[in-house]
Amino acid sequence: MEFLTKLDRWMPADIGAELHRFAAELYPICRSITGDGIRRTLALIGNRIPLDTANVPTGTPVFDWTVPKEWNIRDGYIKLAGSTRRSVDFQQSNLHVMNYSSPVHKTLPLSELRPHLFTVPEHPGQIPYRTSYYKEDWGFCLSHNQLLALEDGDYEVCIASTLENGYLTYGECHLPGRSNNEVLISCHVCHPSLANDNLSGIAVATFLAQLLTQGDHYYSYRFLFIPGTIGAITWLAQNREAATRIRHGLVLTCLGDKGGFHYKKSRRGDAEIDRVAQHVLSHCGETGEILEFSPYGYDERQYCSPGFNLPVGCLMRSVWGSFPEYHTSADNLDFIRPLSLAESLRVCAIIVDILEQNRRYCNRNPYCEPQLGRRNLYRSAGSEAVGTEISARLWVLNFSDGDHTLLDIAERAGLPFAVIREAAELLRQNGLLSVIPENGRET
Ligand SMILES: [Zn+2]
């Protein structure tokens, strides 16, 4: 388990705290699907891993969509006319202005302002997160308590934003491996100050890329840091050739809360990544639930659109929309935990490790069982009994027929991949197995 050994060496005990610190560094930035917030975010990611940024001009057609105008914001507030005190202040929370609001500065009575105000009455202390990307509009989000505190009267509203021709920016970290076949890791970078839905995925993806830069690997890895939906559509529209090289893929999101893991399968449902994720979640020691594919959710929707049908699943802890903090100010830095982030990174690393190590072997002694006792392979940990290690050796010998991969054998034996892999390596060292070369995979 060369890769995982490296992980243990590289992963200090406080890796969770480091992941959390990185999320905290990104937290204050007001991100959106375009604009300076994304560029500042990509700059901070680029301090840690090799990152190329692409700027796609407004108006560029991308399949059925068009790259929108670029949005930037400096300030926003609501205050009672004539007052100096802001009732709602963008400087206090960037969630207060509806994301992509067009600029506005006027005075109007509360009754006319009211349709532009959004709250979550069932959680009166939380500020909701709202967007209006594809319809020019403006609005404010505030806690229901703040709304109730607004007295009747005229209000000055100001949103100092710009909505102009510019660029859609995304980041790409490409780590070449021995093979041109690629593993895609994708996360969205378009939410403002929201920790679990956005920053947890960014932090885990960044650290996973950092880990992969530590050594060589079979697959090439492509990490995408993109605005949700339009970013994935834009990347796919402009990288159709690269998309054909994707053999496995994961969308990472909501990986920092205290909930158990959820893996949403690719549209194919039986892709290797689906099986690997399922295997890892069943052996990782935490609860893990497998969800069937559905055409809503995160960017797996685009990767799994029928024209591409890429083997891309989605790994998360709590499922979007299922927790009360989702898309509100309560999805903050206290909602994500260092321990959860660290364990999420570990699960991602194990998934990558299995993809790297999953190969086929050939039994060089297929006529009846080879005599393991003579080779000192029929005992484990001082015991003659058929323990897990011996059982793994027998499974590997029996199914190393050139057809079954190590994952096939692990699934069939109900044993962790690591145990099967270790058995195969031991048997190979003893001359009982040989690796079947597959696209240079024997190395
Ligand atoms: Zn979201």
Side-chain angles (χ1 to χ4, degrees), residues 365 367-378 397 432:
N365 207 332
Y367 298 103
C368 300
E369 284 179 11
Q371 198 180 356
L372 295 183
R374 181 158 62 81
R375 299 174 172 88
N376 215 16
L377 294 173
Y378 205 68
L397 282 169
L432 292 170

Side-chain angles (χ1 to χ4, degrees), residues 49-216:
I49 55 173
L51 194 72
D52 294 322
T53 53
N55 288 296
V56 184
T58 299
T60 305
V62 285
F63 296 119
D64 199 41
W65 299 57
T66 305
V67 172
K69 287 180 180 170
E70 180 178 325
W71 184 74
N72 285 289
I73 181 163
R74 291 190 316 278
D75 199 9
Y77 60 83
I78 299 173
K79 64 184 181 189
L80 203 55
S83 163
T84 53
R85 196 186 67 84
R86 293 180 170 195
S87 307
V88 176
D89 185 1
F90 173 80
Q91 306 302 334
Q92 299 292 315
S93 166
N94 55 37
L95 297 180
H96 274 319
V97 171
M98 180 167 74
N99 208 281
Y100 250 68
S101 280
S102 41
V104 63
H105 193 186
K106 60 178 167 186
T107 301
L108 72 179
L110 181 59
S111 57
E112 281 177 34
L113 173 59
R114 187 63 188 81
H116 294 276
L117 303 181
F118 305 101
T119 70
V120 210
E122 56 275 29
H123 297 287
Q126 300 176 3
I127 308 164
Y129 162 56
R130 295 279 291 241
T131 65
S132 187
Y133 299 139
Y134 302 107
K135 176 174 170 275
E136 282 203 22
D137 197 2
W138 60 270
F140 287 88
C141 303
L142 56 161
S143 73
H144 202 66
N145 292 336
Q146 273 177 301
L147 177 70
L148 296 177
L150 292 180
E151 53 194 272
D152 256 344
D154 287 342
Y155 283 88
E156 179 189 344
V157 297
C158 174
I159 296 176
S161 64
T162 54
L163 197 53
E164 295 166 342
N165 286 341
Y167 299 93
L168 177 149
T169 309
Y170 62 80
E172 195 166 5
C173 166
H174 187 243
L175 304 172
R178 296 191 296 281
S179 165
N180 286 332
N181 293 333
E182 290 193 1
V183 178
L184 174 78
I185 307 286
S186 176
C187 63
H188 60 289
V189 290
C190 53
H191 289 30
S193 295
L194 294 168
N196 201 36
D197 178 14
N198 205 166
L199 298 180
S200 66
I202 299 172
V204 169
T206 303
F207 279 55
L208 185 64
Q210 214 175 337
L211 170 62
L212 282 157
T213 61
Q214 307 292 307
D216 72 317

